[in-house]
Amino acid sequence: MQYMHFCPRIGSRMTIFSSWRASRRLRRLSSERPSISHIYINGRFLTQNRSGTQRFAEEIILALDESLAEAPAEGYEITILHPAKKKRSLKLRNIKQRAIGNRMGHLWEQIDLYSASRNGLLLNFINSGPLMHKASVVTFHDASIFERPELFSLKYRIFHKLLRPLLARRALKLITVSKFSRERLARSFKVSEGNFSIVPNGCDHISNIPPDTSILKKHDLKVGEYVLCVGNASPNKNISAAVRAFNAAALEGYEFVSVGMPDGRVFGSLPNESRKIKRLRGISDNALRALFENATLFAFPSKYEGFGIPLLEAMRLGCPVITSKAGANPETVAGAAIQIDPENVGEFSAQMRIVAFDKVHRAKMIEDGYARASNFEWRSSAEKLRSIIETLLPRSQYGQ
């Protein structure tokens, strides 16, 4: 299998063979179960807090619903199957939604979801799905469980290291969000990169959210006089590097704003700088948009990302970005952001000062950011997903 990485022609033939095998398996399932025209979506994400993977699921479904409004499905229908208890709902016109089962979590997925979806094609958007399903499409967002296992609990690590490779080998089709993730996932699952289709994240959702500028007054923030950092308590987000760089940059009159739930120890070494550092929790998407639009710059020094949606959100809203040269970050921002070694405090802090005080350079970064972000829209990704779906279905099922 490794040989295919060095022989494009063989890799291409294997990709064609994989697609043919997937179609053959689906035709066989169609003859066994005539209702293969049903497409189901694993709605477990509606029971989870929203992070990047849940954002992908929600936004691509909303965009797919719009696509179906303009060009109705021929020969198939799509239904989200979700647990009875969920945290939020989606407003959809063309995709149905149905509650099934009384279980939650993996038990719901492996038992209730499998039972309800076994007569159709199943789309899984968040790294998981029922192992027994014979016609599934699975989206894996990154290979961090294999490459950065220390970021996860032992229980989670053991379970997903077993589950994900098995799912990958049984699926009709695999989807991921970047070339970086495709390469790392293929290596971790020991499958060909040709088994994956890339359906990238979008960022245009942030433009559809009205900004809540009251967040600035509430926390006494001045327009253009703060550095913004977004991330949770995971060491992977590397917020401490941004704090050290901000302190070293000595930006007179500027503040450091951290959005999320970072570990308090990140800030513990800077007791005398507490008035310059503000930690905001429970921030709405509306408030986050306002923070992006009015920040001096967005610092995103994460050590590993499968994509990095916040990078594009910031650029779409005209906020210059400084990010790490790690994971998929360079691929996502291309040349539209400053890329640094976040552990090099001198480099990081120097770039902060350049963005803050060099107006010409800052204006160029904003222009480049707009251009880069415009390439990532959910509708485009939904059309790619729809094409994958209709390629997998027997042609007679969708009017071709």
Side-chain angles (χ1 to χ4, degrees):
M1 192 64 71
Q2 291 179 347
Y3 180 67
M4 289 192 301
H5 291 286
F6 303 97
C7 188
R9 181 174 296 180
I10 292 178
S12 177
R13 289 175 180 171
M14 288 300 292
T15 301
I16 294 170
F17 174 72
S18 296
S19 299
W20 171 81
R21 185 174 59 182
S23 298
R24 186 168 177 266
R25 195 194 310 178
L26 213 67
R27 285 196 298 271
R28 185 171 67 250
L29 285 167
S30 180
S31 64
E32 295 171 359
R33 297 193 297 272
S35 53
I36 195 66
S37 57
H38 288 292
I39 297 175
Y40 300 106
I41 295 175
N42 181 346
R44 185 181 164 206
F45 67 91
L46 293 171
T47 69
Q48 301 168 328
N49 294 328
R50 186 186 289 121
S51 67
T53 54
Q54 289 78 21
R55 171 73 71 185
F56 176 91
E58 291 183 20
E59 295 296 341
I60 207 160
I61 289 171
L62 290 169
L64 181 60
D65 191 63
E66 291 180 1
S67 173
L68 292 169
E70 296 180 11
E74 297 182 24
Y76 65 89
E77 62 179 18
I78 303 178
T79 304
I80 299 176
L81 302 177
H82 60 78
K85 295 180 181 179
K86 60 185 187 342
K87 293 187 175 182
R88 56 193 175 277
S89 300
L90 298 179
K91 294 181 179 179
L92 303 170
R93 294 178 296 166
N94 303 284
I95 297 176
K96 300 177 181 179
Q97 302 182 70
R98 177 157 56 95
I100 59 165
N102 296 313
R103 298 174 180 84
M104 294 291 287
H106 287 294
L107 282 177
W108 175 85
E109 204 167 50
Q110 299 301 324
I111 300 174
D112 297 325
L113 177 61
Y114 167 68
S115 178
S117 66
R118 60 189 300 181
N119 69 325
L121 179 66
L122 177 63
L123 309 180
N124 303 282
F125 290 133
I126 52 168
N127 303 310
S128 187
L131 270 173
M132 294 296 293
H133 206 285
K134 295 182 179 180
S136 64
V137 177
V138 187
T139 301
F140 294 103
H141 294 261
D142 60 54
S144 57
I145 191 72
F146 301 96
E147 299 194 320
R148 296 297 307 277
E150 71 278 6
L151 299 175
F152 305 91
S153 68
L154 179 61
K155 182 180 178 180
Y156 185 95
R157 196 160 65 227
I158 292 173
F159 181 80
H160 282 273
K161 278 190 171 184
L162 291 172
L163 175 69
R164 296 186 188 185
L166 290 173
L167 273 176
R169 294 181 191 121
R170 290 182 61 86
L172 289 179
K173 188 67 179 175
L174 301 175
I175 291 173
T176 192
V177 292
S178 65
K179 293 178 181 177
F180 171 81
S181 287
R182 178 179 64 186
E183 176 191 349
R184 299 307 179 92
L185 286 164
R187 181 191 305 171
S188 298
F189 294 156
K190 294 180 173 56
V191 300
S192 168
E193 288 187 32
N195 290 10
F196 286 89
S197 290
I198 295 177
V199 179
N201 286 284
C203 63
D204 47 314
H205 60 274
I206 197 72
S207 299
N208 299 324
I209 301 170
D212 179 8
T213 56
S214 67
I215 190 73
L216 303 179
K217 183 177 181 180
K218 180 179 179 180
H219 295 281
D220 195 25
L221 297 173
K222 297 179 181 179
V223 174
E225 294 187 9
Y226 62 89
V227 172
L228 180 64
C229 193
V230 177
N232 55 32
S234 170
N236 181 59
K237 297 304 178 183
N238 204 19
I239 295 175
S240 60
V243 173
R244 292 195 303 271
F246 172 78
N247 189 42
L251 300 175
E252 186 64 32
Y254 285 74
E255 295 179 294
F256 184 93
V257 177
S258 173
V259 174
M261 298 185 68
D263 191 324
R265 289 172 294 182
V266 168
F267 306 97
S269 61
L270 302 171
N272 297 325
E273 304 293 331
S274 59
R275 66 182 181 82
K276 291 185 178 181
I277 298 174
K278 295 183 177 179
R279 289 180 281 170
L280 312 185
R281 302 182 181 182
I283 298 300
S284 68
D285 286 347
N286 307 78
L288 182 60
R289 173 176 176 172
L291 290 171
F292 272 131
E293 288 180 317
N294 294 286
T296 305
L297 63 91
F298 175 54
F300 195 71
S302 63
K303 297 178 180 179
Y304 189 100
E305 296 290 333
F307 186 86
I309 296 178
L311 295 166
L312 294 177
E313 291 176 328
M315 290 192 287
R316 190 175 181 94
L317 296 176
C319 183
V321 172
I322 300 178
T323 189
S324 60
K325 299 174 182 177
N329 292 347
E331 178 185 342
T332 298
V333 302
I338 295 173
Q339 300 172 38
I340 49 89
D341 172 3
E343 301 308 319
N344 186 332
V345 175
E347 179 190 12
F348 201 170
S349 61
Q351 293 298 337
M352 282 189 177
R353 292 188 62 82
I354 289 173
V355 176
F357 300 128
D358 188 332
K359 293 183 179 179
V360 174
H361 186 71
R362 176 184 168 80
K364 181 65 164 58
M365 288 185 68
I366 291 173
E367 180 183 352
D368 290 346
Y370 281 136
R372 180 61 178 166
S374 68
N375 294 321
F376 297 88
E377 296 193 344
W378 290 111
R379 181 60 183 272
S380 175
S381 293
E383 295 298 344
K384 290 181 180 178
L385 174 65
R386 186 169 180 179
S387 176
I388 291 169
I389 293 170
E390 294 181 350
T391 299
L392 288 174
L393 287 175
R395 295 192 176 192
S396 61
Q397 297 291 338
Y398 59 93
Q400 292 188 10

